[in-house]
Amino acid sequence: EEYFEKLKELLTTYSKAFLVEVDNVGSYQLQSTRGELRGKAEVLMGKNTMMRKCIREYVEENPGSPVGQLESVCRGNIGFVFTNSDLDHSR
């Protein structure tokens, strides 16, 4: 429930999101990346099933939202990075 609220809040707050695949990425590297992005972007990891369900609910509550396209890419070991700044800068 808390995860759902967090993801919906991020989908509403931020205008841009990109997908990151984290296969073979260590926890220290993830932690340092989150630290570097602090204040500019937010990283959210989670179970694919939960992410897809939350995205589906968000689209039901916000018909016509382009967020629905994210549901099909929730496969594998992935996470989302949400930002309002330039994507090249966040990458």
Side-chain angles (χ1 to χ4, degrees):
E1 189 70 34
E2 189 176 319
Y3 181 84
F4 281 50
E5 294 306 314
K6 178 70 172 174
L7 182 53
K8 287 178 183 179
E9 176 191 333
L10 293 172
L11 290 169
T12 304
T13 305
Y14 292 98
S15 60
K16 299 172 189 161
F18 62 93
L19 194 68
V20 290
E21 188 174 307
V22 292
D23 282 335
N24 304 313
V25 177
S27 59
Y28 179 76
Q29 186 176 357
L30 275 174
Q31 179 184 355
S32 62
T33 301
R34 283 179 192 245
E36 289 174 28
L37 291 173
R38 192 164 287 128
K40 299 174 226 156
E42 285 195 56
V43 179
L44 184 70
M45 309 298 290
K47 297 278 188 193
N48 293 338
T49 308
M50 284 178 53
M51 287 192 279
R52 283 194 299 268
K53 183 176 180 189
C54 187
I55 289 168
R56 217 173 298 127
E57 285 181 11
Y58 182 85
V59 171
E60 286 174 10
E61 295 167 7
N62 302 279
S65 171
V67 169
Q69 298 170 13
L70 296 174
E71 184 180 351
S72 64
V73 296
C74 290
R75 304 270 186 268
N77 199 7
I78 58 117
F80 291 110
V81 178
F82 294 92
T83 185
N84 285 324
S85 61
D86 185 38
L87 292 178
D88 286 335
H89 179 73
S90 298
R91 211 167 25 148

